[in-house]
Every structure is written in structure tokens, then in C-alpha cells.
């Protein structure tokens, strides 16, 4: 079947935004906004923002995790400043250790990442009272109001934050480019945890109308008075949020998993509208929760809370599908979003406070893993591997993409989230060139596979139909981007059934890396050019067609290098990767020059080399592309016990690493089916970066104790429960861990008619609480230097 879309439009009308935002760095960099995208030095800047909460992670690990995020393509880190993490006791502010926001921001700056501070005062983030301290309640004023008593404390909080952030604003040479004011004001609240599970009272959700706008104006004023003067201010825009027009950039989001919609009466989540294409800059379009009180074309459509995962809630247990995260990004971008933001991109662990647990009672007390692309213990997950090629594409080609308008095919508005049968697609284009977006993922729906698929893109002067050498199969849960009329260093790529990822340039060649979707052969149609002297491919076929073009077909099951030689110009190369290989591509920078590395084991760039974090593998290999601008490195290992061997392949230098394997044996004593004891050897953590427990169990809630202290927990969702032990060294000095789980129940709970005052509930049905196995995986940290 051929899917047609009319894309012969005039270029999008783009002009300076009326937003009174922007700023200049002492070194000359300037941030500004059009009505469609953010600019850096007058050019489109595609923001890729990832949330990471410093106070939920060990201070001594921050830099490594920031580098993991940068390696994943994140260029802005957003972080909440939770009030009750810093002033749990009235008048006693804590800014040291894991709460040292200044050090966190400085580390972001040192690693070339911008920062958005989400200063509250209300944050939510599944934190106790949404981040408001307990002592703020029971006063003569209302929280989240314009009462002078409440505003006095907010003003004091912002002053304290300002002291910590002094000198870190963009205008001062620091990395802070944005300040978020409040969160979900007049749109959402949080449980008042002092009464949770008794009355389940909620805090105020904030104010609407003029009073709400006045509150936001005061927050911005307090932030500026505290020295937090940034190029832009943001607020969450969904719901009935008040807006400071032209003073604050409203941000949006979307989640595939919505545990707040689940109750005992409604236990099943409905499909969300996040995976149906819409045009966010179309005034007449139905755009779901994006229903702003201003013209849609007035500001960029920007996001701060696209679901990088989701925390399990007590009544809602699920496993986040990695494809859901990738597809959400693709949908937002396809709809005209030029500023993506993930919540969360990196998971964490809730600190235990002086007054009790600091979590929200709907969620686990300790873990805030969020099933994020980077996990609570630094695990780089499948969702991160899927996102990384997309982020690299936005880095290299976002300047082309950002000005392009969204075009939807006829009938797109009739597709509903429940529709498993219709293929979903859209285009972003300037009327001549562009990108085709295809999505076949929908949360909580099993999508059809589409076979024999072709596309016809109707432009003003031509129609581009592809593929020509066969047809596409769009598999269930697939999402991808195909280019058309894509500029290749002076040549024109008419179309490709592969997704652009990145580009490296040297004096001899410009190499473009493309990813072929799973099961899709890479077909590349290249317009003939007088300067072309030859086109070769080391796999697949090359044909010169009657229409004065070259067709190159690369089989999807193996990579291929296409070489285009030209008279009087450098060589152009296209490296077509299969889907698996694309998830192994990593970009590094060496003194301003790019390096392309392929590795299944995640690498992290350091100031003087690379560190690999290998989970369970004491020997592994990686490859470095030899045709980039940087001379191939001769890597050496930092640790004498680790050996490295190097050999050259046609396009790559390959490296084989081997280090002594750490054998970990767990002494497991089963007390009951639902309760076990683990005896830990004193040298358990010696010689490794981490030991990751993987606990296979069936139950309701899992608890981990050491010396009678709860140090981790987990809401059962069918996936293994993981605990990294290194951060709990002091807690585990007793050498014993007790794991216990409560029963997972399927049945009916009643109260006996003759129950005494101490009511005892009676359960009839199936109850399961059992630990099946516990394994321990060492994580090796392998450092290389040139």
C-alpha cells in the first residue's frame, strides 16, 4: 500500500518571539527565541533536556553520571531543588554532601552541559508534600497562595538558593540557562503526608486567574532579587496553569504510563493520545492537553516532562517499554517540538530525612529508579540506547530540522489511540526537503505489523516515491525517521530508507552514519552529479538508473559502507548500520575533534581518556572509526591487571580488553519463602566499581534491611529488583542483608462480622510471597588513556 502526503508547502513563517527572554554569556554566546525554536548565536539550537536530581544521588558519583548523560546526547540537565531536602527543620538549611547544588551545577559546567534549576517552591517529584516541609503546615496562612506569611518563607528560600547559585548564571559565565518557577500550579497537587492514609487530604493546587498570575509574577520577582537571572524562565503549561505572557516560556510533556489515573475501581489504564501525530503549531488542530491561552504559533512548543520512564505506584505496577520512550520523542519532534525534555532521564534514591521518609506515600520509600534510561545505580538501559542515535541526529542535523513545518496526511485527525490498524506518519518540511516520521507504537495497545508499505511525498515540483527496490515492513512498536532531498556535502540524497544519525568530517572524507530500522533494507537514491566519478558499496548493490540517479541497496542484516568519489572534492561516505549496531554507536570529542566508537559496553568520556562500565563482562571489545578527523588513538590501560590488544580492520581500529574476573558467591539462607538472609563477604566490593544484586521474586512490596535498617525497597512489577551495593557500604558493615516481601494477593479481603475492636481483615484467594533467586553481578570500571 502506498501512503501519500502533500508536502509542497511554503516555508514556515518564523520570526523573533515576543518573549522578553534571552541572555549573553561573557564569552559572547547569546541565547534568544523565535516563535518556533530556541537560538544560540542566531542559529537554531535543539535543546535535549534530561532530568536528574542531585539530592537523590551520591555526590561522589555525580560527575560520572553527568558524563553518562552527555554521552547519551543530553545538552541540558534539569534538576529540582526540593525544599524539604534542604530545610527539613525550620531555619536549618543543608547544602553539603548530596545536597550541594552548587557543586552539581559546577560539574555540569565543567562537562559542557547547560542547567535548568527547577526551584519550586512546590516541585512534586513524588516527594513528601511535593517538597514542602512539614513545618510549613498548621500555620495561619495557606501554602501555594499569595498570603504574606507563605510568601515570606518562599522569599527566604529563594534567597538561600540564590546564595548557592551565585555566579552560576549564564550571564556570569555559568551554565544555568533556565529557572523553572513552581510546578503544575493550579493544575495538580500532592498528598499532605501528615494525614496520608488517614484522611488523604491534598495540598492546595494553587491559584487561577489574576491571583495565579500574580503569584507567578512574585516568584519571578523573588528569583531575580535572589540573583537568579537567567536567559529564560519556564513554568509548566498544562491544565489551567496561569501564564506570565511574554515573560515565561510555558513547557509541556506527556507520559505513556499514568499511574495517577489508576484506582481500585478503575485498575486498567487507557491508551494515551501521546502516540497520535498532531501539529502543535496549527491553530485549528486538536492538540490534547496542549490548549494554551495564547496563539499556538506565538511561542515554541517546548517540553520538560516527556516520560523517560515512570515510577511504579502502589496501585499501578507496570514495566516501561523502551520503545515507548523513543516513540514519544519522535512524536513530539514530528509534531513541531524543537525543545525536548525527559522526566526522568536518570533515576535516583530518596534520602531518609531526620523526620522520616521523604517520599510520597503512593510510591516506594527509598527507590526512585523511575525505570529511566539511566537507572538508579547508573545502569544504561535499552531506552537510552534507542534514544542516543536520535539525540545525535538532533545535534548534527537539528539546525536543518528546526525551521521545518509539520504536515499531516489527510485523515490523520481521525486516528484514535485505540486504533491498532492505521499506520501513523507525518512530515516536517520546508516544501522542498525534509523528514518523514513513522510511528507504529501505542501504549496499552498491540499494534498491527504493516507489510508492503510505500510512501509518496508530493512536493511543489516533484513527487518522491519510495522505496523503489521493494517495499517496507513496519513492525509492531517501530518508530523511525527517513530523510528526503537530504544534502550530502554538495550532493543530494533523494531519499533513504534509513535514519540519519551523525556525521564526521576530515580533509579526505565526510562520513554520514545512517541506521536501518529492524528488518528494513537501506535503500539510498543519490542524484547523479557531474563531479561523481564512482559509487561503490562493500555490501549490497549499486545501480545507475535511467533517471540519472544511483540506487544503492544495503541488506538490513549487516552494515555496509558506500563510497562516493568526486573529481576535485573530498570523498563522501555513507555507513549504513543495522538497528543493533546503531545502539552501540557513541560520539566522543577529543580536543574539538570527533571520535566515533562502537561498543556494547557503555563508555564514558573523561578529561584524558575513556572509562568503560562493564556489567558482568571481564572481557569485551570496542571499535573506533578510522576515517574521522582525529588520528586513531593507541589506547593504553590505566590498570596493570587489564590487558588491551589492538588490530586494524578495513574501516575500524578494534580493541580487545581483558581483566581478571571477579567471582561473587552469595551465601543465601532461606528463613521463609518470603524472607531470606544474604551473607556478604568482607571483600565483596574490592576490585570492582559496583556489585549489582538482581532479585527474582514474586510479592507485593520488597524490603531490604541491614542491621534492622531499611535501606532499599521495590514495588513488584514482574521485573527483577536491582540493588547496587556500593553506596550502602556503611549500612552493610554487619555483613548481612535481610530480604523480605509481603504477599501479592488476588482475591477478596473482608472484615469478619464479629470482629473485635482491633479489626482483623480476612483474605480469601491466592497470596504469593516467595524469593526465587538472587544473583550478584560485578560492574567493572575500565579506564583507558591515549
Amino acid at each position: 500500500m502506498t501512503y501519500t502526503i502533500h508536502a509542497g508547502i511554503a516555508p514556515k513563517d518564523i520570526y523573533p518571539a515576543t518573549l522578553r527572554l534571552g541572555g549573553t554569556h561573557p564569552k559572547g554566546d547569546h541565547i534568544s527565541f523565535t516563535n518556533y525554536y530556541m537560538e544560540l548565536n542566531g542559529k537554531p539550537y535543539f535543546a535535549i533536556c534530561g532530568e536528574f536530581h542531585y539530592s537523590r544521588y551520591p555526590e561522589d558519583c555525580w560527575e560520572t553520571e553527568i558524563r553518562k548523560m552527555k554521552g547519551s546526547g543530553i545538552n541540558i540537565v534539569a534538576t529540582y531543588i526540593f525544599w524539604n531536602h534542604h530545610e527539613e527543620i525550620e531555619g536549618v538549611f543543608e547544602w553539603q554532601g548530596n545536597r550541594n547544588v552548587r557543586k552539581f551545577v559546577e560539574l555540569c559546567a565543567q562537562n559542557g552541559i547547560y542547567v535548568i534549576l527547577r526551584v519550586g517552591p512546590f516541585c512534586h517529584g513524588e516527594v513528601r508534600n511535593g517538597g514542602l516541609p512539614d513545618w510549613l503546615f498548621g500555620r495561619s496562612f495557606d501554602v501555594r497562595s499569595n498570603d504574606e506569611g507563605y510568601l515570606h518563607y518562599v522569599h527566604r528560600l529563594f534567597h538561600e538558593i540564590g546564595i548557592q547559585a551565585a555566579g552560576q548564571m549564564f550571564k556570569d559565565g555559568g551554565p544555568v540557562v533556565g529557572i523553572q518557577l513552581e510546578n503544575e500550579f493550579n493544575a495538580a497537587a500532592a498528598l499532605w503526608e501528615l494525614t496520608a492514609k488517614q484522611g488523604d487530604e491534598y495540598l492546595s493546587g494553587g491559584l487561577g486567574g489574576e491571583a495565579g498570575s500574580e503569584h507567578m509574577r512574585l516568584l519571578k520577582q523573588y528569583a531575580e532579587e535572589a540573583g537568579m537571572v537567567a536567559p529564560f524562565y519556564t513554568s509548566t503549561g498544562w491544565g489551567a496553569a496561569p501564564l506570565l505572557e511574554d515573560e515565561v516560556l510555558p513547557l509541556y510533556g506527556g507520559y505513556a504510563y499514568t499511574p495517577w489515573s489508576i484506582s481500585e475501581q478503575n485498575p486498567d489504564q487507557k491508551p494515551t493520545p501521546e502516540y497520535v501525530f498532531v501539529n502543535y503549531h496549527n491553530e485549528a488542530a486538536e492538540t490534547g492537553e496542549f490548549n494554551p491561552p495564547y496563539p499556538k504559533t506565538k511561542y515554541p512548543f517546548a517540553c520538560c516532562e516527556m516520560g523517560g520512564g515512570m515510577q511504579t505506584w502502589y496501585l499501578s505496577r507496570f514495566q516501561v517499554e523502551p520503545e515507548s520512550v523513543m516513540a514519544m520523542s519522535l512524536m513530539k519532534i514530528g509534531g513541531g517540538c524543537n525543545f525536548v525534555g525527559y522526566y526522568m532521564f536518570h533515576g535516583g534514591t530518596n534520602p531518609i530525612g531526620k523526620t522520616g521518609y521523604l517520599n510520597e506515600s503512593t510510591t516506594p520509600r527509598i527507590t526512585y529508579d523511575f525505570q529511566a534510561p539511566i537507572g538508579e545505580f547508573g545502569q544504561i538501559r535499552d531506552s537510552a540506547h534507542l534514544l542516543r542515535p536520535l539525540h545525535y541526529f538532533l545535534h548534527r542535523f537539528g539546525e536543518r530540522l528546526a525551521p521545518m513545518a509539520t504536515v499531516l496526511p489527510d485523515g490523520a485527525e481521525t486516528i484514535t489511540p485505540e486504533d491498532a490498524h492505521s499506520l501513523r506518519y507525518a512530515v516536517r518540511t520546508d516544501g522542498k526537503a525534509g523528514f518523514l516520521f513513522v510511528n507504529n507504537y501505542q501504549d496499552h495497545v498491540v499494534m498491527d505489523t504493516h507489510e508492503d508499505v510505500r510512501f509518496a511525498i508530493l512536493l511543489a515540483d516533484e513527487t518522491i516515491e519510495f522505496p523503489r527496490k521493494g517495499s517496507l515492513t513496519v513492525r509492531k512498536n517501530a518508530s523511525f525517521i527517513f530523510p528526503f532531498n537530504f544534502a550530502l556535502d554538495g550532493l543530494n540524497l533523494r531519499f533513504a530508507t534509513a535514519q540519519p544519525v551523525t556525521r564526521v568530517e576530515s580533509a579526505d572524507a565526510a562520513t554520514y552514519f545512517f541506521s536501518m530500522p529492524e528488518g528494513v533494507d537501506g535503500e539510498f537514491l543519490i542524484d547523479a552529479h557531474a563531479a561523481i566519478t564512482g559509487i561503490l558499496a562493500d555490501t549490497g548493490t549499486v545501480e545507475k538508473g535511467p533517471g540519472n540517479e544511483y540506487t544503492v541497496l544495503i541488506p538490513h542484516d549487516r552494515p555496509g559502507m558506500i563510497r562516493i568519489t568526486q573529481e576535485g572534492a573530498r570523498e563522501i561516505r555513507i555507513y549504513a548500520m543495522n538497528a543493533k549496531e546503531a545502539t552501540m554507536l557513541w560520539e566522543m570529542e577529543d580536543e574539538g575533534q570527533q571520535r566515533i566508537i562502537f561498543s556494547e559496553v557503555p563508555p564514558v568520556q573523561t578529561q584524558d581518556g575513556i572509562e568503560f562500565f562493564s556489567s558482568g563482562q571481564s572481557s569485551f571489545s570496542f571499535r573506533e572509526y578510522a576515517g574521522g578527523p582525529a588520528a586513531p588513538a593507541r589506547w593504553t590501560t590505566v590498570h596493570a591487571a587489564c590487558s588491551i590488544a589492538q588490530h586494524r580492520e578495513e574501516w575500524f581500529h578494534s580493541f580487545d580488553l581483558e581483566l581478571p574476573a571477579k567471582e561473587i558467591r552469595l551465601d543465601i539462607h532461606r528463613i521463609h519463602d518470603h524472607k531470606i538472609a544474604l551473607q556478604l563477604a568482607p571483600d565483596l566490593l574490592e576490585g570492582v566499581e559496583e556489585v549489582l544484586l538482581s532479585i527474582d521474586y514474586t510479592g507485593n512490596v520488597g524490603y531490604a534491611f541491614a542491621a534492622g535498617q531499611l535501606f532499599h525497597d521495590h514495588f513488584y512489577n514482574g521485573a527483577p529488583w536491582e540493588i547496587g551495593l556500593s553506596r550502602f557500604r556503611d549500612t552493610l558493615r554487619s555483613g548481612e542483608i535481610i530480604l523480605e516481601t509481603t504477599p501479592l494477593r488476588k482475591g477478596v479481603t473482608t472484615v469478619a462480622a464479629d470482629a473485635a475492636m482491633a479489626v482483623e481483615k480476612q483474605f480469601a484467594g491466592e497470596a504469593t510471597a516467595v524469593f526465587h533467586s538472587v544473583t550478584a553481578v560485578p560492574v567493572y570500571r575500565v579506564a583507558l588513556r591515549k
Side-chain angles (χ1 to χ4, degrees):
M1 179 176 177
T2 298
Y3 295 86
T4 301
I5 187 165
H6 296 265
I9 63 169
K12 185 169 180 62
D13 187 17
I14 297 173
Y15 45 85
T18 57
L19 289 162
R20 295 189 291 275
L21 301 176
T24 300
H25 192 278
K27 292 184 178 180
D29 287 338
H30 181 72
I31 290 174
S32 56
F33 288 87
T34 72
N35 65 318
Y36 202 40
Y37 47 77
M38 177 177 166
E39 292 180 311
L40 181 64
N41 300 329
K43 296 181 179 180
Y45 181 80
F46 213 111
I48 307 169
C49 182
E51 190 93 7
F52 178 28
H53 298 154
Y54 61 93
S55 60
R56 282 171 156 160
Y57 216 81
E59 173 195 15
D60 58 359
C61 298
W62 284 345
E63 185 162 27
T64 294
E65 303 310 306
I66 289 167
R67 287 172 172 172
K68 287 179 183 177
M69 293 181 72
K70 183 176 182 179
S72 299
I74 298 298
N75 53 26
I76 303 178
V77 167
T79 191
Y80 273 139
I81 298 178
F82 293 116
W83 191 350
N84 60 359
H85 284 195
H86 294 284
E87 195 188 5
E88 189 178 1
I89 307 299
E90 183 179 359
V92 181
F93 282 92
E94 295 186 49
W95 299 103
Q96 301 304 313
N98 298 352
R99 292 166 169 82
N100 190 342
V101 64
R102 183 179 189 84
K103 179 179 178 180
F104 181 81
V105 171
E106 288 174 342
L107 288 172
C108 289
Q110 291 168 20
N111 287 279
I113 295 186
Y114 292 136
V115 175
I116 295 175
L117 295 178
R118 306 179 82 183
V119 299
F122 176 85
C123 296
H124 203 190
E126 290 69 63
V127 170
R128 183 177 178 86
N129 309 325
L132 300 183
D134 284 347
W135 55 261
L136 205 59
F137 301 94
R139 305 285 181 135
S140 59
F141 53 77
D142 295 328
V143 299
R144 304 181 81 187
S145 75
N146 291 335
D147 287 0
E148 289 186 6
Y150 175 67
L151 292 176
H152 162 76
Y153 285 109
V154 173
H155 193 275
R156 190 186 68 173
L157 169 69
F158 280 20
H159 174 73
E160 292 289 336
I161 296 173
I163 293 173
Q164 301 304 314
Q168 299 303 310
M169 300 298 114
F170 187 73
K171 69 179 180 61
D172 304 317
V176 178
V177 294
I179 302 291
Q180 179 179 304
L181 306 170
E182 247 279 352
N183 187 64
E184 299 183 312
F185 196 67
N186 199 41
L191 281 169
W192 180 13
E193 292 297 333
L194 288 172
T195 68
K197 303 307 174 192
Q198 293 177 334
D200 282 355
E201 287 89 357
Y202 274 77
L203 312 178
S204 166
L207 306 167
E210 292 185 6
S213 297
E214 173 66 7
H215 187 80
M216 299 302 288
R217 186 191 66 78
L218 288 169
L219 293 185
K220 185 169 184 253
Q221 174 187 322
Y222 294 166
E224 291 174 334
E225 290 173 353
M228 292 185 282
V229 177
F232 59 91
Y233 296 83
T234 74
S235 62
T236 47
W238 54 85
L243 173 69
L244 289 182
E245 194 160 358
D246 289 343
E247 294 186 47
V248 171
L249 176 67
L251 300 182
Y252 299 87
Y255 291 93
Y257 299 87
T258 58
W260 54 86
S261 68
I262 301 301
S263 65
E264 292 182 354
Q265 294 74 30
N266 298 288
D268 298 321
Q269 182 187 319
K270 295 180 180 179
T272 69
E274 300 300 332
Y275 299 96
V276 176
F277 280 109
V278 297
N279 183 350
Y280 294 106
H281 247 225
N282 183 342
E283 301 292 0
E286 173 57 47
T287 48
E289 288 193 7
F290 177 56
N291 186 26
Y294 54 85
K296 294 174 183 176
T297 54
K298 185 175 185 181
Y299 301 150
F301 175 76
C303 290
C304 62
E305 289 199 22
M306 293 155 41
M310 177 52 68
Q311 186 75 344
T312 52
W313 288 24
Y314 190 78
L315 292 179
S316 185
R317 314 294 181 91
F318 45 82
Q319 293 183 37
V320 172
E321 294 178 290
E323 296 88 350
S324 73
V325 185
M326 168 64 189
M328 174 147 332
S329 298
L330 185 139
M331 297 301 294
K332 297 294 185 185
I333 297 165
C337 178
N338 292 314
F339 187 127
V340 296
Y342 300 97
Y343 189 99
M344 301 285 298
F345 196 83
H346 198 307
T349 305
N350 289 316
I352 298 175
K354 295 179 175 63
T355 60
Y357 297 107
L358 293 176
N359 67 306
E360 188 175 62
S361 57
T362 54
T363 61
R365 289 189 171 99
I366 309 293
T367 180
Y368 198 68
D369 177 78
F370 215 80
Q371 302 184 56
I374 304 179
E376 178 180 10
F377 301 104
Q379 315 97 303
I380 297 183
R381 297 200 168 108
D382 287 347
S383 53
H385 294 313
L386 292 176
L387 286 172
R388 194 170 59 255
L390 174 64
H391 293 166
Y392 290 170
F393 162 74
L394 297 175
H395 282 305
R396 298 300 168 197
F397 307 113
E399 191 174 322
R400 300 186 192 184
L401 172 67
M404 293 180 172
T406 296
V407 179
L408 304 183
D410 294 340
E413 69 281 357
T414 66
I415 297 176
T416 65
E418 293 77 13
D419 183 351
H421 314 301
S422 298
L423 183 63
R424 305 171 186 188
Y425 62 104
V427 158
R428 283 190 66 172
T429 182
D430 59 7
K432 296 180 179 179
F435 301 91
L436 172 71
F437 291 73
V438 179
N439 174 48
N440 197 31
Y441 176 88
Q442 173 66 57
D443 65 277
H444 302 88
V445 172
V446 178
M447 301 295 285
D448 291 347
T449 292
H450 298 268
E451 298 180 346
D452 196 27
V453 171
R454 292 177 176 81
F455 293 98
I457 300 175
L458 279 58
L459 303 171
D461 299 325
E462 63 176 329
T463 296
I464 300 177
E465 298 183 67
F466 63 94
R468 297 187 178 182
K469 297 294 183 180
S471 62
L472 295 172
T473 295
V474 182
R475 299 187 178 188
K476 178 186 72 172
N477 292 348
S479 59
F480 50 81
I481 302 170
F482 288 160
F484 58 92
N485 285 338
F486 184 81
L488 283 175
D489 207 42
L491 300 183
N492 182 50
L493 177 63
R494 186 83 63 84
F495 69 79
T497 58
Q499 181 169 322
V501 175
T502 190
R503 175 188 64 213
V504 295
E505 299 180 74
S506 68
D508 298 326
T511 306
Y512 293 78
F513 293 81
F514 279 74
S515 172
M516 298 177 287
E518 187 175 353
V520 175
D521 293 338
E523 185 176 335
F524 299 82
L525 188 72
I526 303 163
D527 282 345
H529 190 284
I532 293 177
T533 58
I535 297 183
L536 300 172
D538 56 11
T539 61
T541 59
V542 179
E543 293 183 10
K544 178 76 179 291
N548 205 29
E549 74 274 335
Y550 296 88
T551 300
V552 185
L553 192 65
I554 305 294
H556 67 268
D557 57 350
R558 59 188 184 274
M561 180 69 82
I562 304 168
R563 302 178 63 185
I564 307 169
T565 54
Q566 304 179 86
E567 184 176 349
R570 63 183 174 179
E571 184 171 292
I572 298 174
R573 300 171 187 161
I574 299 173
Y575 185 67
M577 306 171 283
N578 59 38
K580 174 64 176 176
E581 189 176 21
T583 66
M584 297 165 60
L585 186 150
W586 304 82
E587 282 191 353
M588 302 286 170
E589 189 174 290
D590 183 7
E591 298 180 352
Q593 295 182 315
Q594 285 175 267
R595 293 186 182 276
I596 299 294
I597 287 175
F598 288 89
S599 177
E600 192 170 1
V601 172
V604 174
Q605 186 165 4
T606 62
Q607 290 182 347
D608 54 359
I610 301 175
E611 291 180 335
F612 289 88
F613 290 80
S614 176
S615 183
Q617 294 177 254
S618 60
S619 61
F620 61 92
S621 301
F622 72 95
R623 297 176 297 146
E624 181 177 349
Y625 178 56
R634 297 195 63 84
W635 298 107
T636 60
T637 62
V638 172
H639 304 292
C642 180
S643 66
I644 184 168
Q646 178 177 344
H647 55 93
R648 174 71 188 262
E649 300 172 359
E650 184 177 5
W651 296 107
F652 297 92
H653 290 265
S654 294
F655 302 85
D656 302 320
L657 286 84
E658 188 167 356
L659 62 156
K662 170 96 173 183
E663 185 176 358
I664 300 176
R665 294 181 179 178
L666 295 176
D667 182 3
I668 302 174
H669 172 58
R670 185 173 293 274
I671 302 169
H672 305 290
D673 279 351
H674 68 277
K675 188 174 185 178
I676 59 176
L678 305 180
Q679 301 298 323
L680 306 179
D683 64 348
L684 178 74
L685 291 166
E686 289 183 10
V688 293
E689 174 72 8
E690 178 68 276
V691 170
L692 198 63
L693 292 184
S694 182
I695 303 161
D696 182 12
Y697 78 109
T698 304
N700 182 25
V701 179
Y703 298 100
F705 298 90
Q709 177 184 347
L710 178 69
F711 71 91
H712 204 257
D713 58 349
H714 182 260
F715 282 0
Y716 174 78
N717 67 345
W721 170 18
E722 292 186 329
I723 307 176
L725 298 181
S726 65
R727 75 181 56 170
F728 302 115
R729 291 174 190 270
D730 293 340
T731 304
L732 300 175
R733 290 191 186 280
S734 66
E736 181 181 67
I737 294 175
I738 301 297
L739 299 177
E740 188 164 0
T741 182
T742 54
L744 180 67
R745 291 172 169 168
K746 297 180 181 179
V748 179
T749 301
T750 59
V751 176
D754 58 350
M757 285 181 63
V759 175
E760 182 176 348
K761 294 181 179 180
Q762 297 177 338
F763 173 75
E766 177 185 349
T768 307
V770 59
F771 286 97
H772 307 296
S773 65
V774 181
T775 56
V777 177
V779 178
Y780 303 97
R781 185 173 188 161
V782 183
L784 302 183
R785 302 290 183 268
K786 288 189 296 179

